[in-house]
Amino acid sequence: MRLEPKPAPSLAVTLLFPLAAIAATLLITSLLVLVAGASPLSVFYLVAKGAAGSQFALLETLTRATPLIFTGLAVAVAFRAKLWNIGAEAQLYVGGIVTVVLGTGALPLPAPILIPIIMVAVMAAGALLLLGPAVLKTRFGVDEVVTTLLLNFIVLLFVSMLLEGVLKDPMGLGWPQSQKVIAEAQLPRIIQGKRLHYGFVIAIVSAIVVWVIMKKTVLGYEMRAVGHNPEGARFVGIPVNLVLMKTALLSGGLAALAGFSEVSGLKGNLTLDLSPGYGYSGIVVAMLAMLNPLGVIASAIFVAGIFVGADAMSRVAKVPSYIADVMVATSLLTMVVAILLTRFRVRWR
């Protein structure tokens, strides 16, 4: 078997293969649902109803999608330049740390000033965290998959140390959690009494800004060129290493905003379970969107809907909610195959 590059695929083909990937995901998941003793159609209906069947369900899906948009954008930006950032989880937690440090009274400022300052500091911290692996890659050829992946565990242990030490809430009854951020550091809710906050709006705006950067700026062109062919980009004068550094700064900053939105907009403080794996799920989100920043919005809502809907479905259909993890993982694998078949033709010898 060998792969031959295809000419530029038509719009119909570009849409057909991702739809086929979704259909394959549903088919594979249906087999597991049947093994669990339930009806696939009933389970899928309950998942959809649990994700968007009421105002509460829809708002919960959008709330869960907010950090996924940030981490999905971070991965999409990095992967576009072939910088394999697997450390969005670490950058998310660093964003949470900075939010707590600056948002618990260190800066007595009004909300319109304090929140932007925290956001800038958060993005700077996340950017610097990813800059280290980028330097190791460009200067010493160290595989960034390894360094960024290991940073996830290092940062999580660092957070655990902080929550048992300097950041521990003295009023927390011994629980490993930080103090609550002050009111001026909290993102307001879009609808009073609901959990959806303005972090979702910031995420949408971020996706639009990233799309503009990727499609309409010199940096975006350089990132795409480096991702397609780094040697060719270097030959025509593009500073490949500098582009990778800029990509790392942007990617790390976006992932850190996920931690900011969760602490400032939803949780109010930093805990070890701040993220149930949003950094890793961001890889799925980015791949489902085919690394398109605007597509990240839709794919993040889709993935969030699966998780929210599966929680509701499991209480009714008695099918474990872990089916959501299977659906998301399978969708990633089928989408990778779909992208491959979109760009290459399989030839059998």
Side-chain angles (χ1 to χ4, degrees), residues 49-63 190-196 308:
K49 182 179 179 181
S54 64
Q55 183 195 56
F56 173 80
L58 181 59
L59 293 178
E60 281 298 302
T61 297
L62 297 181
T63 301
I190 295 178
I191 300 177
Q192 291 300 319
K194 305 297 182 181
R195 294 187 350 134
L196 185 64
V308 173

Side-chain angles (χ1 to χ4, degrees), residues 1 6 8 16 26 34 51 75 125 149 174 180 185 189 199 205 241 258 268 291 296 317 320 323 330-331 340:
M1 184 183 73
K6 288 183 178 180
L16 177 63
L26 294 177
L34 288 172
V75 173
L149 179 62
K180 292 278 188 180
R189 302 298 168 93
V205 173
N241 289 348
L291 306 185
V296 164
I323 196 70
T330 305
S331 65
L340 179 70

Side-chain angles (χ1 to χ4, degrees), residues 16-26 288 330-331 333-338:
L16 177 63
F17 280 104
L19 291 175
I22 294 175
T25 299
L26 294 177
L288 289 178
T330 305
S331 65
L333 295 176
T334 55
M335 184 58 68
V336 168
V337 174

Side-chain angles (χ1 to χ4, degrees), residues 26 29-30 33-34 36-51 309-310 312-319 323 327:
L26 294 177
T29 308
S30 296
V33 171
L34 288 172
S39 166
L41 292 179
S42 175
V43 166
F44 293 148
Y45 169 75
L46 290 173
V47 170
K49 182 179 179 181
M313 174 275 300
S314 65
R315 293 190 291 268
V316 177
K318 307 303 181 184
V319 174
I323 196 70
M327 291 181 68

